[in-house]
Amino acid sequence: MTTLGAVFRPQLPPERLRSVARAADAAGLEELWLWEDCFLSSGLASTSAALAWTDRLRVGAGLLPAPLRNVALTAMEAATLHRMFPGRAMLAVGHGVQPWMGQAGARVESPMTLLREYLRALRTLLAGGRLTVDGRYVRLDDVALDWPPTAPAPVLAGGLGPRTLRLTGEAADGTVLDASFPAGGVRRACALMAEGRAAAGRTGPHPVTVYLHVATGPGAETRLRAEKDRMGHDAPGLGVRGDAHAVAEAVAELADAGATAVILQPTSDEPDPEGFVRFAAEQVRPLVPRPLPVPGR
């Protein structure tokens, strides 16, 4: 059973988010995901606004670049969102794009060490714990949140390489995969996550969110090809263009490979972002098996 969502691309001006989020909410779409790409829009500011403008839509921020964000501040912001909008905020962290981290003066020598320390600290703080740690990058002295979430607040992580994917299984509560992963890549990624979980002695479900390149309507084939070229995504069978049935088939293929949520990613030049989220909710959603209810949502 598969959760379906869509991406609000940060190439759109921030003021456009309100109409897209409201269109998604009104159409019954389950999730809207926002990115924190440098140097476009703030992931958490946008997430907060989208949640406030909607009633039932779940809103994800991912990936938040760990090098740019002190973990105590991220915990404070995440806890605030989880308390104000219970069950609707989703946050995922990652290494950040390394050239961008260099531009911002935040690049670290060992992104893997930082992400491991960051995930452990963030999960502890959001669980209501008090933490003193003197790591290579994460240093906290007797830190605890005065207002931790009142319900479990999963911390997701994303990445591309085998070591990072094992780490997401080891230290995160779920994994986000970008649109460069075809179905075979999702299977391999899930196997790596399972290795990390086994090494850490973790059991239970590990949700996997996968972005899917999608283009529909006039010029879809040209726009999709150009988008994949811009992003350097050239794996065979990657992305889908066409009508709702074609998109639903691609969603089903990713779900069979291990995706628990598939997030439709429009091209950066999508001519009708509001129409795209309505297309996802009203035309693709009925063709995709619905997920089982999640307690508390």
Side-chain angles (χ1 to χ4, degrees), residues 32-36 43-44 47 59-64 81 89-93 211:
L32 185 69
W33 279 80
L34 313 172
W35 299 347
E36 191 161 72
L44 288 179
T47 297
V59 183
L63 300 175
L64 302 173
L81 289 178
M90 302 171 294
L91 303 181
V93 299
Y211 293 127

Side-chain angles (χ1 to χ4, degrees), residues 2-96:
T2 311
T3 297
L4 194 70
V7 177
F8 176 85
R9 297 290 297 261
Q11 288 78 16
L12 294 168
E15 59 269 24
R16 189 74 178 270
L17 175 59
R18 181 174 183 169
S19 63
V20 175
R22 286 187 166 179
D25 199 43
L29 192 64
E30 291 142 281
E31 295 183 359
L32 185 69
W33 279 80
L34 313 172
W35 299 347
E36 191 161 72
D37 283 1
C38 298
F39 296 93
L40 296 165
S41 301
S42 162
L44 288 179
S46 299
T47 297
S48 179
L51 288 165
W53 287 326
T54 57
D55 295 320
R56 46 152 301 282
L57 185 69
R58 295 195 298 274
V59 183
L63 300 175
L64 302 173
L68 276 179
R69 292 184 162 277
N70 180 280
V71 70
L73 178 60
T74 299
M76 291 162 57
E77 293 179 320
T80 300
L81 289 178
H82 283 297
R83 291 185 70 105
M84 291 195 300
F85 308 102
R88 294 178 56 209
M90 302 171 294
L91 303 181
V93 299
H95 297 306

Side-chain angles (χ1 to χ4, degrees), residues 17 142 149 212 258:
L17 175 59
D142 194 31
L212 173 64

